[in-house]
């Protein structure tokens, strides 16, 4: 019987452990992919539900408040001002006035 040195025993142990490490690592990766695929869909649904709920809650809060008519009026005035400014500064200089006489 030949006596092996500690280096040879350690090398043999590492060589035997490498295939098992590969098998367990591959199994772990496959299992995690399956679990994340199943959980991922639920997380997407939860995020979508949260976003919809937040939007609806915010809309209800704004529409039920007394501030909404003021916001609506200010928005309307801002849009009108923007259209008039764009017309005056950008479009009016390129458009010829139309005369009513022929």
């Amino acid at each position: 019987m030949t006596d092996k040195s500690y280096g040879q025993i350690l090398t043999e142990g590492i060589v035997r452990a490498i295939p098992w490490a590969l098998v367990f690592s591959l199994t772990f990766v496959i299992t995690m992919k399956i679990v994340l695929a199943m959980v991922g869909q639920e997380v997407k649904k939860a995020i979508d539900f949260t976003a919809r709920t937040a939007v609806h809650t915010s809309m209800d809060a704004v529409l039920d408040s007394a501030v909404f008519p003021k916001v609506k009026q200010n928005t309307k005035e801002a849009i009108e001002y923007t259209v008039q400014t764009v017309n005056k500064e950008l479009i009016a200089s390129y458009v010829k006035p139309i005369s009513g006489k022929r």
Side-chain angles (χ1 to χ4, degrees):
M1 186 170 179
T2 61
D3 290 331
K4 296 181 182 178
S5 67
Y6 289 121
Q8 290 173 333
I9 295 172
L10 183 64
T11 304
E12 286 179 7
I14 290 174
V15 169
R16 287 183 188 153
I18 289 174
W20 283 106
L22 291 174
V23 168
F24 288 135
S25 297
L26 186 62
T27 305
F28 177 74
V29 168
I30 291 171
T31 304
M32 288 308 295
K33 281 221 174 249
I34 292 170
V35 168
L36 289 176
M38 292 177 1
V39 172
Q41 185 63 31
E42 295 301 318
V43 169
K44 288 179 187 176
K45 287 180 184 178
I47 291 171
D48 185 45
F49 175 75
T50 304
R52 278 188 281 122
T53 303
V55 168
H56 288 298
T57 304
S58 300
M59 284 176 41
D60 290 341
V62 168
L63 293 175
D64 290 342
S65 71
V67 177
F68 181 67
K70 293 178 185 177
V71 171
K72 184 177 175 182
Q73 182 64 31
N74 286 342
T75 304
K76 180 181 168 234
E77 290 173 3
I79 292 171
E80 289 173 353
Y81 174 77
T82 304
V83 169
Q84 290 171 356
T85 304
V86 167
N87 184 31
K88 191 182 333 173
E89 294 180 6
L90 298 176
I91 299 173
S93 61
Y94 297 105
V95 177
K96 295 179 183 176
I98 299 174
S99 63
K101 299 179 185 177
R102 281 196 170 218

